[in-house]
Amino acid sequence: MHKVPSEVMCRICNIGFYQIRWGQESCDICPKDHYCPSPDVNPILCPGDAFCPAGSTAPGYCMETFLRKAGNSCELAPVTIVLLVLAGGMALLFIILLVLRRRRETDQELAVSRAPLLRKERPPGRVYGVAWDAEPVYAGW
């Protein structure tokens, strides 16, 4: 707590600040590599596997499986990078397979539409003197 000269009552320090001496006019910011869970308690040394920037109210930990401590922050662990690369590769492969499958289906539809007007096999029914293996010829007007 601290007491501003123009006020009668003491004030509680803001989050991330502390003051343990009586009669002080201001609060001190919690120092780097320490955390201050309460404004009326001495700063507590940060654990070795955590990070505590100035003004910390609690130690910051990294998720051990996916992140690791790097100074005052967390960075991706090598295992996480490998997993992300594998997942991205599998997603890309899945997309490529979908595109190839769609292309094959489209090619089959186009093959039917590109079939010759007269088929090679002879359909059942009447034939009016047209050779079934001949292509149609434009006769003009």
Side-chain angles (χ1 to χ4, degrees):
M1 294 182 60
H2 68 286
K3 182 178 178 294
V4 180
S6 62
E7 294 184 9
V8 178
M9 302 290 291
C10 291
R11 290 185 179 180
I12 295 177
C13 296
N14 291 332
I15 295 174
F17 289 82
Y18 76 100
Q19 185 55 262
I20 55 169
R21 291 174 275 155
W22 289 92
Q24 298 298 316
E25 294 183 359
S26 64
C27 295
D28 298 323
I29 189 165
C30 194
K32 182 179 178 182
D33 295 327
H34 291 77
Y35 66 99
C36 302
S38 177
D40 58 349
V41 176
N42 274 330
I44 301 169
L45 186 63
C46 197
D49 60 340
F51 57 93
C52 299
S56 296
T57 58
Y61 292 95
C62 300
M63 261 175 57
E64 292 180 13
T65 306
F66 301 109
L67 302 170
R68 67 178 179 186
K69 182 181 172 189
N72 285 337
S73 64
C74 296
E75 67 179 16
L76 292 175
V79 172
T80 306
I81 295 170
V82 169
L83 289 175
L84 288 173
V85 168
L86 288 174
M90 289 177 63
L92 184 64
L93 181 63
F94 180 72
I95 291 170
I96 290 172
L97 289 175
L98 281 176
V99 168
L100 290 176
R101 184 176 180 188
R102 171 104 14 145
R103 178 182 270 176
R104 186 178 52 176
E105 290 172 358
T106 305
D107 287 346
Q108 288 175 351
E109 291 172 5
L110 288 176
V112 171
S113 67
R114 291 179 185 161
L117 296 176
L118 300 174
R119 301 197 184 282
K120 303 293 181 196
E121 66 273 357
R122 190 174 191 167
R126 296 184 188 179
V127 178
Y128 296 102
V130 178
W132 287 101
D133 59 347
E135 294 293 324
V137 178
Y138 176 71
W141 277 80

